[in-house]
Amino acid sequence: VTVTTNGTFTVSEDISWLTASTSGNKITLTTTANTGTSSRTGSVTFTCNEDTSKSATVSVTQSGTTYSISVSPTSLSFSSGVESKSVTVTTNGTFTVSEDISWLTASTSGNTVELTVFTENTSTSSRTGTVTFTCKEDTSKTATVNVTQAGKEITYSITADSKTNMSWTPTYLADSKTISIVASHAWTATKTTGADWLTVETTSGSSGTTSVKLSVTTNSSTTSSRTGKVTFKCGTATAVVTVTQSKMPYVITVSRATWSPAAAGASVNVSVTSNGSWSASSSKTWITISPKTGTNGQSTVTLTAAANTSTSSRTATVTFKSSVDSSVTKTVTVTQAGKEMTYSISVSPTFSM
């Protein structure tokens, strides 16, 4: 404050929270901190020493403090077990901590508050609560931390014949297999989309042991096997059964395994059944075959044995072989008797006695 006078002066104040210091005509007024939220006022009086009836005043108003409080983070997530996490409080005052959570405690060190979940959550559902931080100087100023403790994790398990991954490899023929499903909770079963040849008799169940029948139809393909999967799911746990069914093998059947034609020669019909193309051959040239090839299905093949001019029997083999899989064969063994010997006797001369 600057004082203008043609005399000297004194300074007086009725304010306990203000002091005045004089340096010539300059007066410095100094206040202490107003820790309240309301403003406060006072006056400083300047009096002429030579004429005390002459005075001047300065009115002084000091604002109250505006308090604030904030926390970081504003939310915390805890596991289902015992755990501690920290919160940082920012304020220009002091604060108190209160919580509406029976399973949590708070301990303060400076501006750091440690929140501790001291009991395990034995429920499978989560639980929540709120921790409130209140400014002591202005209780209208608060900050909150939302607390969530996770529910106890459910442990799921499921096995198929005591395995989480198992295989079944049926032949090409229709077949079935019963497996044992052991689950900790309710379960469901699904199979590979489009695997209409694979049937799952039971597609859901409860905890414990359940027998489940799997069935496959005949695989009529001779070119490829087929694979499907059945997935048994129990919560987050799975057990997978992989079913791989082999392709149908090539097959040839003949209506006879042997033939014994007469020495004079003969023919016989042989019925050939196959699920693929085939060819026929003879080990001897005196056997002819008609036709020598065929396709899938049933065919009639004529075997012809030429006359055996020898008096000894003879043997030949007719082989029917798959044109796709040469390891698939059937044979007809042909045994032909030798020509019958004609005996004669004569004497010379002939006479009577």
Side-chain angles (χ1 to χ4, degrees), residues 181-249:
I181 300 299
V182 179
S184 60
H185 298 78
W187 57 269
T188 58
T190 56
K191 67 177 182 179
T192 304
T193 301
D196 298 332
W197 52 273
L198 173 61
T199 301
V200 185
E201 188 177 80
T202 306
T203 57
S204 63
S206 56
S207 60
T209 302
T210 306
S211 294
V212 177
K213 184 179 180 180
L214 307 181
S215 302
V216 294
T217 59
T218 297
N219 184 4
S220 58
S221 171
T222 56
T223 58
S224 61
S225 61
R226 55 189 181 184
T227 299
K229 290 185 178 183
V230 182
T231 301
F232 297 88
K233 186 173 179 62
C234 172
T236 55
T238 58
V240 179
V241 179
T242 301
V243 182
T244 303
Q245 186 178 27
S246 60
K247 64 183 179 180
M248 179 181 285

Side-chain angles (χ1 to χ4, degrees), residues 234-292:
C234 172
T236 55
T238 58
V240 179
V241 179
T242 301
V243 182
T244 303
Q245 186 178 27
S246 60
K247 64 183 179 180
M248 179 181 285
Y250 287 97
V251 177
I252 295 176
T253 60
V254 292
S255 59
R256 61 167 61 233
T258 61
W259 177 41
S260 299
S267 295
V268 70
N269 289 334
V270 178
S271 178
V272 181
T273 304
S274 175
N275 59 352
S277 58
W278 53 269
S279 62
S281 62
S282 173
S283 63
K284 303 296 182 180
T285 58
W286 50 271
I287 295 291
T288 58
I289 305 166
S290 180
K292 288 186 175 182

Side-chain angles (χ1 to χ4, degrees), residues 13-283:
E13 69 278 344
D14 60 357
I15 311 169
S16 61
W17 41 269
L18 182 144
T19 58
S21 59
T22 304
S23 176
N25 283 3
K26 298 290 185 180
I27 308 300
T28 300
L29 304 180
T30 303
T31 62
T32 60
N34 183 1
T35 58
T37 57
S38 301
S39 62
R40 56 187 179 181
T41 60
S43 61
V44 180
T45 302
F46 301 85
T47 304
C48 180
N49 290 328
E50 290 77 14
D51 184 356
T52 57
S53 66
K54 299 297 192 294
S55 63
T57 60
V58 174
S59 297
V60 179
T61 301
Q62 185 180 26
S63 300
T65 300
T66 300
Y67 288 94
S68 64
I69 188 169
S70 63
V71 292
S72 178
T74 57
S75 62
L76 287 174
S77 295
F78 291 84
S79 67
S80 61
V82 175
E83 190 176 6
S84 296
K85 292 188 178 183
S86 296
V87 175
T88 300
V89 182
T90 302
T91 182
N92 58 347
T94 57
F95 64 91
T96 59
V97 183
S98 60
E99 70 278 343
D100 62 355
I101 312 170
S102 61
W103 37 270
L104 180 142
T105 59
S107 60
T108 304
S109 175
N111 279 7
T112 299
V113 178
E114 186 175 77
L115 303 181
T116 300
V117 173
F118 61 88
T119 60
E120 181 184 4
N121 185 0
T122 57
S123 168
T124 56
S125 300
S126 61
R127 55 186 181 181
T128 59
T130 303
V131 181
T132 303
F133 301 81
T134 303
C135 180
K136 288 183 178 180
E137 292 77 11
D138 184 355
T139 57
S140 68
K141 299 299 191 322
T142 62
T144 57
V145 174
N146 296 315
V147 176
T148 301
Q149 185 183 23
K152 184 177 181 180
E153 185 177 354
I154 300 174
T155 301
Y156 294 97
S157 65
I158 189 167
T159 58
D161 280 355
S162 303
K163 300 175 182 177
T164 55
N165 285 282
M166 67 164 289
S167 298
W168 178 36
T169 54
T171 68
Y172 73 97
L173 296 173
D175 200 359
S176 64
K177 179 181 180 65
T178 299
I179 60 176
S180 178
I181 300 299
V182 179
S184 60
H185 298 78
W187 57 269
T188 58
T190 56
K191 67 177 182 179
T192 304
T193 301
D196 298 332
W197 52 273
L198 173 61
T199 301
V200 185
E201 188 177 80
T202 306
T203 57
S204 63
S206 56
S207 60
T209 302
T210 306
S211 294
V212 177
K213 184 179 180 180
L214 307 181
S215 302
V216 294
T217 59
T218 297
N219 184 4
S220 58
S221 171
T222 56
T223 58
S224 61
S225 61
R226 55 189 181 184
T227 299
K229 290 185 178 183
V230 182
T231 301
F232 297 88
K233 186 173 179 62
C234 172
T236 55
T238 58
V240 179
V241 179
T242 301
V243 182
T244 303
Q245 186 178 27
S246 60
K247 64 183 179 180
M248 179 181 285
Y250 287 97
V251 177
I252 295 176
T253 60
V254 292
S255 59
R256 61 167 61 233
T258 61
W259 177 41
S260 299
S267 295
V268 70
N269 289 334
V270 178
S271 178
V272 181
T273 304
S274 175
N275 59 352
S277 58
W278 53 269
S279 62
S281 62
S282 173
S283 63

